[in-house]
Amino acid sequence: GAGSVVLSSLPPNVTAVGVPSRVIGRADSGKQGPTIHMEPGPDDGFIEIDVYGRILAFNSVAERIFGFLAPEILGQNISILMPTPHREKHDSYISKFLQTGKSNIIGQNRIVPAITKSGRRVEICLSVSEFKFGTKHIFRALVWS
């Protein structure tokens, strides 16, 4: 629909795990398989990370929430946006999830503390999904305050 952002065309071997309520899957089947659409509101930030926690995507709303411009944060570890103790433990959270498939955050809307570029602590709403592309994992989050 108008304003929707196509996240990816998913081939048949791709699955979306823990797609939270703010992410809408639609059966827009084409040559490349179904497409997962995100319909963010005007206040929804979007962040995508890889299994190493590196930020791959950071939209303008995320820039406004956290105070970082995308070019300065892309490639950085997502833990830069987290307070202690999560900052130090986040990589192990990802590793544990990849080993066990168990998570306290994927597929849920949670209120969590975050840190802005200026060091200010803020509360954000976070909704995380995992996308598998064969053996590759990508984590996508909507954030809003």
Side-chain angles (χ1 to χ4, degrees):
S4 69
V5 176
V6 176
L7 293 180
S8 65
S9 291
L10 301 178
N13 65 333
V14 175
T15 57
V17 176
V19 177
S21 60
R22 293 175 73 91
V23 176
I24 300 166
R26 288 206 290 256
D28 291 347
S29 294
K31 293 178 189 173
Q32 297 180 2
T35 299
I36 298 294
H37 290 268
M38 179 179 287
E39 305 233 3
D43 297 321
D44 291 339
F46 173 75
I47 302 171
E48 179 178 271
I49 66 168
D50 64 14
V51 295
Y52 304 104
R54 291 181 300 223
I55 298 171
L56 305 175
F58 200 78
N59 77 354
S60 62
V61 177
E63 289 179 332
R64 191 169 65 243
I65 292 169
F66 295 103
F68 286 95
L69 295 176
E72 64 187 331
I73 201 164
L74 292 176
Q76 299 286 328
N77 192 291
I78 190 70
S79 64
I80 196 172
L81 302 176
M82 299 173 191
T84 297
H86 304 294
R87 178 182 298 233
E88 294 79 13
K89 294 181 177 181
H90 191 262
D91 288 346
S92 67
Y93 297 161
I94 294 173
S95 295
K96 184 178 179 183
F97 172 74
L98 293 173
Q99 291 171 0
T100 67
K102 295 179 183 174
S103 170
N104 293 326
I105 196 95
I106 293 176
Q108 300 178 34
N109 294 336
R110 306 269 309 263
I111 296 174
V112 298
I115 300 294
T116 66
K117 181 179 179 179
S118 69
R120 185 171 54 95
R121 185 181 173 112
V122 295
E123 297 291 317
I124 61 166
C125 295
L126 175 68
S127 187
V128 179
S129 299
E130 175 206 21
F131 291 81
K132 293 182 192 179
F133 299 83
T135 59
K136 183 179 178 182
H137 296 257
I138 297 293
F139 300 94
R140 293 176 173 155
L142 285 176
V143 296
W144 62 101
S145 55

